[in-house]
Amino acid sequence: IGREVFEGAVRSRIRPSIRSLVEAHRRMGHTIVIATSATSFQAEPIAETLGIEHVLCNRMFVDEKGLLSGRFVDPLIWGDGKARAVEA
């Protein structure tokens, strides 16, 4: 479902200026990271589209049957937790 939402509603909203900015940083040899409190379902398609390898985002715990449990995997990427993840 996350991929469907991305393709249907998000991909077309990634502005050319964002692509240019990412490419400019890439040419300068910078490490490019998406750091967001969004879930992996939201962040990873954007990162893939922009060719960004490093994604710091919230991930959901998947149980032994492959089902989402409704819990987040630690550490939570939000507020101070996001800052610590970026620093690490």
Side-chain angles (χ1 to χ4, degrees):
I1 293 172
R3 295 280 174 181
E4 289 176 23
V5 170
F6 174 76
E7 293 298 336
V10 178
R11 181 187 288 277
S12 65
R13 300 181 87 175
I14 298 175
R15 298 181 185 273
S17 59
I18 295 300
R19 293 177 188 277
S20 297
L21 181 62
V22 169
E23 287 308 312
H25 282 285
R26 187 171 283 119
R27 284 192 304 274
M28 290 185 276
H30 296 163
T31 300
I32 303 167
V33 180
I34 291 180
T36 178
S37 58
T39 67
S40 58
F41 306 112
Q42 298 161 301
E44 287 177 351
I46 294 168
E48 289 170 15
T49 297
L50 295 174
I52 297 173
E53 296 178 34
H54 306 286
V55 181
L56 300 173
C57 63
N58 287 305
R59 301 188 183 281
M60 300 293 295
F61 180 77
V62 179
D63 70 15
E64 62 279 350
K65 296 178 184 175
L67 301 174
L68 294 173
S69 69
R71 293 182 292 140
F72 287 98
V73 175
D74 286 330
L76 193 60
I77 307 298
W78 183 80
D80 291 341
K82 184 159 97 174
R84 284 191 296 277
V86 170
E87 288 173 353

